[in-house]
């Protein structure tokens, strides 16, 4: 069955999976567009892997459907779905050369020898490992092994590539380098990527759009900026980045209004020349007095805890200036935030 070109790459409808009394995936609806770099972000145990396995066909849904390219594949086995998966543990064959590892998926699909060679080499080129095609996996670094796993998945030219925490085993430096490479490769091949991670920085860095998972459900879907700037609820505000949450009497005292409010730490300024007694600036910014209770220097930025009385706020300041007295524990300061730094949340 040929897919209509305008169909979304992946559509999940009312997708559900239970294991005994555990609801791993709780009636999820989701559409991933063709060519998108889509991230599934959520804490461990929130159902991300189970969703990925149902898209791949390794896991059968308890209820609901999976459509790929407009075709209902819910009842189809993995090998009849146009997707491949890259796992965190690479799953390479230790006794085979890189070339043979990458060719493996093509052989299974019955591609002839010549085409196989070419496609595998092209995939190894894409991850810049074509010069090591004759090596075995144990002769590679962790980052190189992950690139082979990626090449193997890309070689079969699937419509959708599923990646389950593929960078989880790499150290931070390598991980950040691979994130940039992955993004470039995805742009180049134009394949739809569905990328699972519990790391919010990674999700925000990589994705065109993301879904935030919590306890088997999706809390919010949107692009990185939308999810970060306008989180849908307390969970998203707290899980994606750091948020100061103000509600009840604290909101009344600190914000001056009822309701629940989120304020990002980097949107709070520490005033250089505080004027005692001011509670607002000319531009409408709110000003509040506070005592610094903690200072965490982190190179590019400094994270402060500021006690306002009713609540302690986290404040992040950029260390742009190299001179002047740094803020110290015990300092009395004034904090200021603009009206648009406040984001209203449902209670
Ligand atoms: P994530 O990938 O977000 O960490 P998972 O999809 O692996 O989450 O798991 C979601 C929930 O389903 C967890 O509570 C997990 O323990 C449970 N679960 C996943 N797979 C199985 C299984 N094969 N048998 C029993 N419970 C499972
Ligand atoms: Mg998982």
């Amino acid at each position: 069955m040929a897919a209509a070109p305008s169909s979304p790459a992946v559509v999940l409808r009312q997708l559900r999976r239970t294991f005994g009394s555990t609801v791993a995936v709780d009636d999820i609806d989701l559409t991933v567009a063709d060519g998108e770099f889509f991230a599934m972000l959520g804490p461990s145990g929130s159902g991300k892997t189970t969703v990925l396995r149902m898209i791949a066909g390794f896991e059968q849904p308890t209820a609901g459907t999976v459509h790929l390219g407009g075709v209902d594949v819910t009842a189809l086995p993995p090998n009849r779905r146009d997707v491949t998966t890259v796992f965190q543990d690479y799953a390479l064959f230790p006794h085979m050369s890189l070339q043979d590892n990458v060719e493996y998926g093509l052989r299974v699909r019955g591609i002839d020898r010549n085409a196989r060679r070419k496609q595998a080499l092209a995939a190894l080129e894409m991850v810049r490992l074509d010069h090591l095609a004759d090596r075995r996996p144990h002769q590679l670094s962790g980052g190189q092994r992950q690139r082979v796993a990626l090449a193997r998945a890309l070689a079969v030219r699937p419509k959708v590539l599923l990646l389950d925490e593929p960078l989880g085993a790499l150290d931070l430096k390598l991980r950040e380098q691979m994130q940039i490479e992955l993004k470039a490769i995805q742009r180049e091949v134009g394949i739809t990527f569905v990328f699972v991670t519990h790391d919010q920085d990674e999700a925000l860095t990589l994705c065109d759009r993301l879904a935030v998972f919590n306890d088997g459900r999706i809390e919010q879907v949107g692009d990185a900026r939308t999810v970060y700037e306008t989180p849908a609820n307390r969970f998203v505000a707290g899980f994606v980045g750091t948020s100061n949450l103000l509600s009840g009497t604290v909101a009344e005292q600190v914000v001056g209004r009822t309701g629940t409010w989120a304020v990002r730490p980097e949107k709070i300024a520490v005033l250089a020349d505080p004027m005692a007694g001011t509670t607002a600036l000319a531009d409408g910014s709110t000003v509040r007095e506070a005592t610094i209770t903690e200072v965490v220097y982190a190179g590019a930025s400094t994270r402060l805890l500021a006690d306002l009385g009713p609540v302690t706020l986290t404040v992040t300041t950029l260390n742009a200036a190299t001179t002047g007295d740094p803020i110290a524990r015990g300092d009395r300061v004034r904090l200021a935030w603009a009206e648009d730094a406040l984001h209203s949340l449902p209670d």
Side-chain angles (χ1 to χ4, degrees), residues 17-20 22-25 40-53 59 164-165 196-198 213 215-216:
R17 173 72 211 206
T18 56
F19 298 100
T22 304
V23 182
V25 177
M40 293 181 179
L41 171 69
S44 175
S46 58
K48 309 178 299 292
T49 292
T50 306
V51 169
L52 218 60
R53 288 171 57 80
E59 200 81 69
D164 195 353
E165 313 238 8
V196 161
T197 181
H198 65 270
F213 279 68
D215 206 13

PDB file of all heavy atoms in Angstrom, residues 17-20 22-25 40-53 59 164-165 196-198 213 215-216, ligand 1:
ATOM      1  N   ARG A  17      -1.220   0.942  26.636  1.00  0.00           N
ATOM      2  CA  ARG A  17      -0.549  -0.326  26.916  1.00  0.00           C
ATOM      3  C   ARG A  17      -0.477  -0.533  28.427  1.00  0.00           C
ATOM      4  O   ARG A  17       0.020   0.329  29.159  1.00  0.00           O
ATOM      5  CB  ARG A  17       0.862  -0.297  26.327  1.00  0.00           C
ATOM      6  CG  ARG A  17       1.721  -1.488  26.699  1.00  0.00           C
ATOM      7  CD  ARG A  17       1.285  -2.767  25.997  1.00  0.00           C
ATOM      8  NE  ARG A  17       1.552  -3.919  26.813  1.00  0.00           N
ATOM      9  CZ  ARG A  17       1.754  -5.152  26.339  1.00  0.00           C
ATOM     10  NH1 ARG A  17       1.689  -5.399  25.048  1.00  0.00           N
ATOM     11  NH2 ARG A  17       1.982  -6.145  27.143  1.00  0.00           N
ATOM     12  N   THR A  18      -0.988  -1.636  28.865  1.00  0.00           N
ATOM     13  CA  THR A  18      -0.904  -1.954  30.287  1.00  0.00           C
ATOM     14  C   THR A  18      -0.069  -3.223  30.463  1.00  0.00           C
ATOM     15  O   THR A  18      -0.010  -4.073  29.575  1.00  0.00           O
ATOM     16  CB  THR A  18      -2.302  -2.188  30.902  1.00  0.00           C
ATOM     17  OG1 THR A  18      -2.962  -3.216  30.161  1.00  0.00           O
ATOM     18  CG2 THR A  18      -3.156  -0.931  30.843  1.00  0.00           C
ATOM     19  N   PHE A  19       0.615  -3.304  31.599  1.00  0.00           N
ATOM     20  CA  PHE A  19       1.313  -4.532  32.016  1.00  0.00           C
ATOM     21  C   PHE A  19       0.723  -4.892  33.365  1.00  0.00           C
ATOM     22  O   PHE A  19       1.034  -4.229  34.355  1.00  0.00           O
ATOM     23  CB  PHE A  19       2.814  -4.296  32.147  1.00  0.00           C
ATOM     24  CG  PHE A  19       3.505  -3.900  30.865  1.00  0.00           C
ATOM     25  CD1 PHE A  19       3.811  -2.575  30.612  1.00  0.00           C
ATOM     26  CD2 PHE A  19       3.842  -4.855  29.906  1.00  0.00           C
ATOM     27  CE1 PHE A  19       4.460  -2.201  29.436  1.00  0.00           C
ATOM     28  CE2 PHE A  19       4.482  -4.492  28.730  1.00  0.00           C
ATOM     29  CZ  PHE A  19       4.787  -3.161  28.495  1.00  0.00           C
ATOM     30  N   GLY A  20      -0.146  -5.893  33.413  1.00  0.00           N
ATOM     31  CA  GLY A  20      -0.832  -6.194  34.668  1.00  0.00           C
ATOM     32  C   GLY A  20      -1.610  -4.972  35.097  1.00  0.00           C
ATOM     33  O   GLY A  20      -2.407  -4.431  34.333  1.00  0.00           O
ATOM     34  N   THR A  22      -0.153  -2.116  35.848  1.00  0.00           N
ATOM     35  CA  THR A  22       0.588  -0.897  35.481  1.00  0.00           C
ATOM     36  C   THR A  22       0.080  -0.348  34.163  1.00  0.00           C
ATOM     37  O   THR A  22       0.044  -1.059  33.158  1.00  0.00           O
ATOM     38  CB  THR A  22       2.094  -1.204  35.330  1.00  0.00           C
ATOM     39  OG1 THR A  22       2.570  -1.794  36.523  1.00  0.00           O
ATOM     40  CG2 THR A  22       2.891   0.058  35.026  1.00  0.00           C
ATOM     41  N   VAL A  23      -0.328   0.922  34.173  1.00  0.00           N
ATOM     42  CA  VAL A  23      -0.696   1.586  32.917  1.00  0.00           C
ATOM     43  C   VAL A  23       0.559   2.296  32.408  1.00  0.00           C
ATOM     44  O   VAL A  23       0.908   3.371  32.876  1.00  0.00           O
ATOM     45  CB  VAL A  23      -1.846   2.591  33.126  1.00  0.00           C
ATOM     46  CG1 VAL A  23      -2.236   3.217  31.788  1.00  0.00           C
ATOM     47  CG2 VAL A  23      -3.044   1.894  33.763  1.00  0.00           C
ATOM     48  N   ALA A  24       1.254   1.650  31.468  1.00  0.00           N
ATOM     49  CA  ALA A  24       2.524   2.216  30.972  1.00  0.00           C
ATOM     50  C   ALA A  24       2.251   3.369  30.022  1.00  0.00           C
ATOM     51  O   ALA A  24       2.953   4.374  30.021  1.00  0.00           O
ATOM     52  CB  ALA A  24       3.336   1.131  30.274  1.00  0.00           C
ATOM     53  N   VAL A  25       1.233   3.227  29.178  1.00  0.00           N
ATOM     54  CA  VAL A  25       0.846   4.260  28.203  1.00  0.00           C
ATOM     55  C   VAL A  25      -0.665   4.421  28.286  1.00  0.00           C
ATOM     56  O   VAL A  25      -1.406   3.456  28.124  1.00  0.00           O
ATOM     57  CB  VAL A  25       1.287   3.851  26.781  1.00  0.00           C
ATOM     58  CG1 VAL A  25       0.818   4.882  25.762  1.00  0.00           C
ATOM     59  CG2 VAL A  25       2.810   3.694  26.721  1.00  0.00           C
ATOM     60  N   MET A  40      10.634  12.827  22.385  1.00  0.00           N
ATOM     61  CA  MET A  40       9.752  12.427  23.476  1.00  0.00           C
ATOM     62  C   MET A  40      10.560  12.563  24.752  1.00  0.00           C
ATOM     63  O   MET A  40      11.541  11.842  24.956  1.00  0.00           O
ATOM     64  CB  MET A  40       9.279  10.994  23.301  1.00  0.00           C
ATOM     65  CG  MET A  40       8.365  10.814  22.104  1.00  0.00           C
ATOM     66  SD  MET A  40       7.827   9.104  21.995  1.00  0.00           S
ATOM     67  CE  MET A  40       6.769   9.191  20.561  1.00  0.00           C
ATOM     68  N   LEU A  41      10.153  13.513  25.578  1.00  0.00           N
ATOM     69  CA  LEU A  41      10.897  13.841  26.792  1.00  0.00           C
ATOM     70  C   LEU A  41      10.066  13.492  28.009  1.00  0.00           C
ATOM     71  O   LEU A  41       8.865  13.787  28.050  1.00  0.00           O
ATOM     72  CB  LEU A  41      11.207  15.351  26.793  1.00  0.00           C
ATOM     73  CG  LEU A  41      11.793  15.942  28.076  1.00  0.00           C
ATOM     74  CD1 LEU A  41      13.210  15.435  28.315  1.00  0.00           C
ATOM     75  CD2 LEU A  41      11.790  17.473  28.003  1.00  0.00           C
ATOM     76  N   GLY A  42      10.695  12.862  29.000  1.00  0.00           N
ATOM     77  CA  GLY A  42       9.956  12.566  30.217  1.00  0.00           C
ATOM     78  C   GLY A  42      10.848  11.821  31.186  1.00  0.00           C
ATOM     79  O   GLY A  42      11.878  11.264  30.784  1.00  0.00           O
ATOM     80  N   PRO A  43      10.468  11.780  32.458  1.00  0.00           N
ATOM     81  CA  PRO A  43      11.277  11.063  33.436  1.00  0.00           C
ATOM     82  C   PRO A  43      11.255   9.558  33.175  1.00  0.00           C
ATOM     83  O   PRO A  43      10.415   9.065  32.414  1.00  0.00           O
ATOM     84  CB  PRO A  43      10.607  11.399  34.775  1.00  0.00           C
ATOM     85  CG  PRO A  43       9.241  11.872  34.442  1.00  0.00           C
ATOM     86  CD  PRO A  43       9.289  12.422  33.054  1.00  0.00           C
ATOM     87  N   SER A  44      12.170   8.859  33.814  1.00  0.00           N
ATOM     88  CA  SER A  44      12.230   7.409  33.702  1.00  0.00           C
ATOM     89  C   SER A  44      10.903   6.805  34.145  1.00  0.00           C
ATOM     90  O   SER A  44      10.321   7.222  35.139  1.00  0.00           O
ATOM     91  CB  SER A  44      13.383   6.916  34.585  1.00  0.00           C
ATOM     92  OG  SER A  44      13.389   5.520  34.593  1.00  0.00           O
ATOM     93  N   GLY A  45      10.387   5.843  33.362  1.00  0.00           N
ATOM     94  CA  GLY A  45       9.147   5.177  33.719  1.00  0.00           C
ATOM     95  C   GLY A  45       7.891   5.877  33.220  1.00  0.00           C
ATOM     96  O   GLY A  45       6.778   5.450  33.523  1.00  0.00           O
ATOM     97  N   SER A  46       8.052   6.944  32.413  1.00  0.00           N
ATOM     98  CA  SER A  46       6.874   7.700  31.984  1.00  0.00           C
ATOM     99  C   SER A  46       6.220   7.128  30.727  1.00  0.00           C
ATOM    100  O   SER A  46       5.204   7.651  30.267  1.00  0.00           O
ATOM    101  CB  SER A  46       7.231   9.185  31.783  1.00  0.00           C
ATOM    102  OG  SER A  46       8.267   9.346  30.845  1.00  0.00           O
ATOM    103  N   GLY A  47       6.820   6.075  30.152  1.00  0.00           N
ATOM    104  CA  GLY A  47       6.155   5.390  29.042  1.00  0.00           C
ATOM    105  C   GLY A  47       6.766   5.627  27.672  1.00  0.00           C
ATOM    106  O   GLY A  47       6.242   5.131  26.668  1.00  0.00           O
ATOM    107  N   LYS A  48       7.896   6.324  27.615  1.00  0.00           N
ATOM    108  CA  LYS A  48       8.491   6.691  26.322  1.00  0.00           C
ATOM    109  C   LYS A  48       8.911   5.464  25.505  1.00  0.00           C
ATOM    110  O   LYS A  48       8.577   5.356  24.320  1.00  0.00           O
ATOM    111  CB  LYS A  48       9.715   7.597  26.549  1.00  0.00           C
ATOM    112  CG  LYS A  48       9.454   8.790  27.452  1.00  0.00           C
ATOM    113  CD  LYS A  48      10.698   9.619  27.679  1.00  0.00           C
ATOM    114  CE  LYS A  48      11.859   8.902  28.346  1.00  0.00           C
ATOM    115  NZ  LYS A  48      11.632   8.535  29.763  1.00  0.00           N
ATOM    116  N   THR A  49       9.659   4.567  26.153  1.00  0.00           N
ATOM    117  CA  THR A  49      10.149   3.382  25.434  1.00  0.00           C
ATOM    118  C   THR A  49       8.987   2.519  24.963  1.00  0.00           C
ATOM    119  O   THR A  49       9.001   1.995  23.842  1.00  0.00           O
ATOM    120  CB  THR A  49      11.098   2.567  26.341  1.00  0.00           C
ATOM    121  OG1 THR A  49      12.278   3.338  26.555  1.00  0.00           O
ATOM    122  CG2 THR A  49      11.475   1.244  25.708  1.00  0.00           C
ATOM    123  N   THR A  50       7.974   2.384  25.792  1.00  0.00           N
ATOM    124  CA  THR A  50       6.817   1.564  25.403  1.00  0.00           C
ATOM    125  C   THR A  50       6.136   2.146  24.168  1.00  0.00           C
ATOM    126  O   THR A  50       5.738   1.404  23.263  1.00  0.00           O
ATOM    127  CB  THR A  50       5.836   1.438  26.592  1.00  0.00           C
ATOM    128  OG1 THR A  50       6.556   0.945  27.729  1.00  0.00           O
ATOM    129  CG2 THR A  50       4.708   0.480  26.268  1.00  0.00           C
ATOM    130  N   VAL A  51       6.023   3.472  24.096  1.00  0.00           N
ATOM    131  CA  VAL A  51       5.438   4.102  22.904  1.00  0.00           C
ATOM    132  C   VAL A  51       6.304   3.807  21.678  1.00  0.00           C
ATOM    133  O   VAL A  51       5.794   3.417  20.616  1.00  0.00           O
ATOM    134  CB  VAL A  51       5.281   5.635  23.098  1.00  0.00           C
ATOM    135  CG1 VAL A  51       4.938   6.317  21.783  1.00  0.00           C
ATOM    136  CG2 VAL A  51       4.208   5.923  24.141  1.00  0.00           C
ATOM    137  N   LEU A  52       7.617   3.954  21.840  1.00  0.00           N
ATOM    138  CA  LEU A  52       8.536   3.704  20.730  1.00  0.00           C
ATOM    139  C   LEU A  52       8.431   2.256  20.243  1.00  0.00           C
ATOM    140  O   LEU A  52       8.399   1.990  19.046  1.00  0.00           O
ATOM    141  CB  LEU A  52       9.967   4.006  21.190  1.00  0.00           C
ATOM    142  CG  LEU A  52      10.883   4.667  20.166  1.00  0.00           C
ATOM    143  CD1 LEU A  52      10.327   5.997  19.730  1.00  0.00           C
ATOM    144  CD2 LEU A  52      12.275   4.839  20.740  1.00  0.00           C
ATOM    145  N   ARG A  53       8.347   1.330  21.195  1.00  0.00           N
ATOM    146  CA  ARG A  53       8.251  -0.092  20.839  1.00  0.00           C
ATOM    147  C   ARG A  53       6.929  -0.420  20.142  1.00  0.00           C
ATOM    148  O   ARG A  53       6.881  -1.317  19.302  1.00  0.00           O
ATOM    149  CB  ARG A  53       8.443  -0.965  22.087  1.00  0.00           C
ATOM    150  CG  ARG A  53       9.902  -0.969  22.593  1.00  0.00           C
ATOM    151  CD  ARG A  53      10.047  -1.645  23.943  1.00  0.00           C
ATOM    152  NE  ARG A  53       9.556  -3.016  23.937  1.00  0.00           N
ATOM    153  CZ  ARG A  53      10.241  -4.067  23.473  1.00  0.00           C
ATOM    154  NH1 ARG A  53      11.443  -3.890  22.985  1.00  0.00           N
ATOM    155  NH2 ARG A  53       9.722  -5.261  23.505  1.00  0.00           N
ATOM    156  N   GLU A  59       6.029  -4.196  20.421  1.00  0.00           N
ATOM    157  CA  GLU A  59       5.052  -4.278  21.510  1.00  0.00           C
ATOM    158  C   GLU A  59       3.676  -4.057  20.904  1.00  0.00           C
ATOM    159  O   GLU A  59       3.503  -3.186  20.061  1.00  0.00           O
ATOM    160  CB  GLU A  59       5.365  -3.157  22.514  1.00  0.00           C
ATOM    161  CG  GLU A  59       4.817  -3.347  23.878  1.00  0.00           C
ATOM    162  CD  GLU A  59       5.695  -4.287  24.704  1.00  0.00           C
ATOM    163  OE1 GLU A  59       6.819  -3.930  25.063  1.00  0.00           O
ATOM    164  OE2 GLU A  59       5.192  -5.395  24.973  1.00  0.00           O
ATOM    165  N   ASP A 164      16.147   5.485  20.878  1.00  0.00           N
ATOM    166  CA  ASP A 164      15.794   5.380  22.295  1.00  0.00           C
ATOM    167  C   ASP A 164      17.011   5.697  23.162  1.00  0.00           C
ATOM    168  O   ASP A 164      17.874   4.851  23.351  1.00  0.00           O
ATOM    169  CB  ASP A 164      15.264   3.985  22.622  1.00  0.00           C
ATOM    170  CG  ASP A 164      14.553   3.964  23.972  1.00  0.00           C
ATOM    171  OD1 ASP A 164      14.594   4.985  24.697  1.00  0.00           O
ATOM    172  OD2 ASP A 164      13.959   2.919  24.303  1.00  0.00           O
ATOM    173  N   GLU A 165      17.090   6.923  23.669  1.00  0.00           N
ATOM    174  CA  GLU A 165      18.207   7.393  24.487  1.00  0.00           C
ATOM    175  C   GLU A 165      19.541   6.975  23.876  1.00  0.00           C
ATOM    176  O   GLU A 165      20.392   6.389  24.560  1.00  0.00           O
ATOM    177  CB  GLU A 165      18.085   6.842  25.926  1.00  0.00           C
ATOM    178  CG  GLU A 165      16.681   7.004  26.493  1.00  0.00           C
ATOM    179  CD  GLU A 165      16.626   7.817  27.772  1.00  0.00           C
ATOM    180  OE1 GLU A 165      17.654   8.390  28.159  1.00  0.00           O
ATOM    181  OE2 GLU A 165      15.538   7.906  28.353  1.00  0.00           O
ATOM    182  N   VAL A 196      13.885   9.608  21.800  1.00  0.00           N
ATOM    183  CA  VAL A 196      13.475   9.524  23.208  1.00  0.00           C
ATOM    184  C   VAL A 196      14.624   9.929  24.126  1.00  0.00           C
ATOM    185  O   VAL A 196      15.756   9.494  23.933  1.00  0.00           O
ATOM    186  CB  VAL A 196      13.032   8.079  23.544  1.00  0.00           C
ATOM    187  CG1 VAL A 196      13.057   7.845  25.047  1.00  0.00           C
ATOM    188  CG2 VAL A 196      11.649   7.808  22.981  1.00  0.00           C
ATOM    189  N   THR A 197      14.336  10.773  25.086  1.00  0.00           N
ATOM    190  CA  THR A 197      15.352  11.164  26.071  1.00  0.00           C
ATOM    191  C   THR A 197      14.690  11.594  27.377  1.00  0.00           C
ATOM    192  O   THR A 197      13.540  12.017  27.384  1.00  0.00           O
ATOM    193  CB  THR A 197      16.243  12.299  25.523  1.00  0.00           C
ATOM    194  OG1 THR A 197      17.237  12.632  26.503  1.00  0.00           O
ATOM    195  CG2 THR A 197      15.448  13.543  25.188  1.00  0.00           C
ATOM    196  N   HIS A 198      15.455  11.463  28.492  1.00  0.00           N
ATOM    197  CA  HIS A 198      14.961  12.024  29.747  1.00  0.00           C
ATOM    198  C   HIS A 198      15.677  13.334  30.043  1.00  0.00           C
ATOM    199  O   HIS A 198      15.469  13.952  31.078  1.00  0.00           O
ATOM    200  CB  HIS A 198      15.160  11.023  30.896  1.00  0.00           C
ATOM    201  CG  HIS A 198      16.606  10.751  31.180  1.00  0.00           C
ATOM    202  ND1 HIS A 198      17.304   9.746  30.560  1.00  0.00           N
ATOM    203  CD2 HIS A 198      17.491  11.387  31.970  1.00  0.00           C
ATOM    204  CE1 HIS A 198      18.567   9.765  30.967  1.00  0.00           C
ATOM    205  NE2 HIS A 198      18.705  10.762  31.833  1.00  0.00           N
ATOM    206  N   PHE A 213       6.294  13.783  28.422  1.00  0.00           N
ATOM    207  CA  PHE A 213       5.607  12.631  29.005  1.00  0.00           C
ATOM    208  C   PHE A 213       5.648  12.683  30.530  1.00  0.00           C
ATOM    209  O   PHE A 213       6.646  13.073  31.119  1.00  0.00           O
ATOM    210  CB  PHE A 213       6.282  11.321  28.567  1.00  0.00           C
ATOM    211  CG  PHE A 213       5.877  10.849  27.205  1.00  0.00           C
ATOM    212  CD1 PHE A 213       6.252  11.564  26.081  1.00  0.00           C
ATOM    213  CD2 PHE A 213       5.130   9.693  27.050  1.00  0.00           C
ATOM    214  CE1 PHE A 213       5.876  11.134  24.816  1.00  0.00           C
ATOM    215  CE2 PHE A 213       4.755   9.248  25.787  1.00  0.00           C
ATOM    216  CZ  PHE A 213       5.126   9.970  24.671  1.00  0.00           C
ATOM    217  N   ASP A 215       3.990   9.905  33.531  1.00  0.00           N
ATOM    218  CA  ASP A 215       3.090   8.873  34.016  1.00  0.00           C
ATOM    219  C   ASP A 215       2.180   8.312  32.915  1.00  0.00           C
ATOM    220  O   ASP A 215       0.969   8.161  33.122  1.00  0.00           O
ATOM    221  CB  ASP A 215       2.243   9.481  35.149  1.00  0.00           C
ATOM    222  CG  ASP A 215       1.761   8.407  36.113  1.00  0.00           C
ATOM    223  OD1 ASP A 215       2.280   7.269  36.038  1.00  0.00           O
ATOM    224  OD2 ASP A 215       0.848   8.695  36.909  1.00  0.00           O
ATOM    225  N   GLY A 216       2.767   8.009  31.761  1.00  0.00           N
ATOM    226  CA  GLY A 216       2.009   7.378  30.682  1.00  0.00           C
ATOM    227  C   GLY A 216       1.167   8.318  29.838  1.00  0.00           C
ATOM    228  O   GLY A 216       0.498   7.881  28.911  1.00  0.00           O
TER     229      GLY A 216
HETATM  230  P1  LIG B   1      10.474   5.093  30.012  1.00  0.00           P
HETATM  231  O1  LIG B   1      11.033   4.614  28.708  1.00  0.00           O
HETATM  232  O2  LIG B   1       9.815   6.426  29.924  1.00  0.00           O
HETATM  233  O3  LIG B   1      11.472   5.036  31.116  1.00  0.00           O
HETATM  234  P2  LIG B   1       8.905   2.635  29.930  1.00  0.00           P
HETATM  235  O4  LIG B   1       8.074   2.737  28.706  1.00  0.00           O
HETATM  236  O5  LIG B   1      10.112   1.786  29.847  1.00  0.00           O
HETATM  237  O6  LIG B   1       9.273   4.111  30.440  1.00  0.00           O
HETATM  238  O7  LIG B   1       8.022   2.094  31.139  1.00  0.00           O
HETATM  239  C1  LIG B   1       6.768   2.623  31.482  1.00  0.00           C
HETATM  240  C2  LIG B   1       6.185   1.814  32.597  1.00  0.00           C
HETATM  241  O8  LIG B   1       5.844   0.517  32.129  1.00  0.00           O
HETATM  242  C3  LIG B   1       7.115   1.602  33.785  1.00  0.00           C
HETATM  243  O9  LIG B   1       6.350   1.614  34.955  1.00  0.00           O
HETATM  244  C4  LIG B   1       7.687   0.232  33.514  1.00  0.00           C
HETATM  245  O10 LIG B   1       8.077  -0.388  34.706  1.00  0.00           O
HETATM  246  C5  LIG B   1       6.519  -0.483  32.864  1.00  0.00           C
HETATM  247  N1  LIG B   1       6.951  -1.536  31.911  1.00  0.00           N
HETATM  248  C6  LIG B   1       7.588  -1.343  30.743  1.00  0.00           C
HETATM  249  N2  LIG B   1       7.809  -2.514  30.104  1.00  0.00           N
HETATM  250  C7  LIG B   1       7.307  -3.487  30.917  1.00  0.00           C
HETATM  251  C8  LIG B   1       7.224  -4.927  30.817  1.00  0.00           C
HETATM  252  N3  LIG B   1       7.687  -5.587  29.761  1.00  0.00           N
HETATM  253  N4  LIG B   1       6.633  -5.576  31.847  1.00  0.00           N
HETATM  254  C9  LIG B   1       6.138  -4.911  32.911  1.00  0.00           C
HETATM  255  N5  LIG B   1       6.167  -3.582  33.058  1.00  0.00           N
HETATM  256  C10 LIG B   1       6.757  -2.861  32.073  1.00  0.00           C
END
